[in-house]
């Protein structure tokens, strides 16, 4: 594995933790760390972090997104529904993406701070 972790910024760690606790649970990913009022991490060996930026200036990456493996198409659907319910916005409804492969099933969401995330099942 070439990566240790990835991190996205948030302007409100309490709201972000509520959002990600709900969304990540649809993919069977649990919160592994919490640093009060600063950051939270999800996953085990490779971690996804959401945190307050040191300079307190949150900017979602243009062209950047993070994809999470999903155990099933149903989990992708649940990821999408829960993310929308928690205040995320649609960047691509659940469905097949034959331009990537004939079995690539994914959904894309923007979190509360505009970070783009994806759930994918193949």
């Amino acid at each position: 594995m070439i990566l240790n972790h990835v991190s996205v910024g948030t302007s409100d760690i309490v709201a972000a933790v509520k959002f990600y606790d709900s969304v990540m649970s649809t993919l069977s990913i649990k919160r592994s760390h919490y640093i009060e009022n600063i950051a939270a991490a999800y996953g085990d060996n490779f971690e996804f972090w959401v945190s307050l930026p040191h300079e307190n200036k949150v900017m979602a990456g243009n062209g950047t997104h993070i994809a999470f493996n999903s155990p099933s198409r149903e989990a992708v659907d649940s990821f999408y529904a829960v993310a929308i319910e928690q205040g995320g916005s649609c960047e691509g409804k659940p469905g097949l993406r034959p331009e990537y492969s004939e079995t690539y099933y994914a959904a894309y969401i923007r979190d509360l701070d505009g970070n783009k995330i994806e759930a994918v099942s193949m």
Side-chain angles (χ1 to χ4, degrees):
M1 182 180 307
I2 63 170
L3 297 176
N4 179 274
H5 68 276
V6 295
S7 179
V8 296
T10 184
S11 59
D12 183 341
I13 192 66
V14 173
V17 165
K18 181 179 181 236
F19 177 86
Y20 280 105
D21 279 359
S22 296
V23 171
M24 296 302 233
S25 71
T26 67
L27 305 176
S28 300
I29 300 171
K30 295 181 180 178
R31 181 166 21 116
S32 55
H33 301 308
Y34 181 70
I35 303 169
E36 190 170 350
N37 299 319
I38 296 174
Y42 297 84
D44 293 318
N45 297 319
F46 174 77
E47 295 171 329
F48 169 77
W49 284 81
V50 59
S51 61
L52 295 172
H54 291 289
E55 64 280 351
N56 293 321
K57 201 171 162 188
V58 177
M59 296 186 325
N62 184 18
T64 302
H65 82 274
I66 298 169
F68 300 100
N69 286 320
S70 175
S72 67
R73 289 182 179 185
E74 293 78 20
V76 171
D77 295 344
S78 182
F79 163 90
Y80 178 85
V82 169
I84 295 295
E85 179 182 291
Q86 292 294 318
S89 60
C90 175
E91 283 291 320
K93 291 183 178 183
L96 285 169
R97 304 295 195 276
E99 63 273 26
Y100 303 134
S101 88
E102 58 189 47
T103 61
Y104 199 103
Y105 188 89
Y108 299 86
I109 291 290
R110 293 258 179 208
D111 73 5
L112 305 176
D113 292 286
N115 298 300
K116 191 173 180 181
I117 58 174
E118 171 189 6
V120 60
S121 175
M122 295 195 307

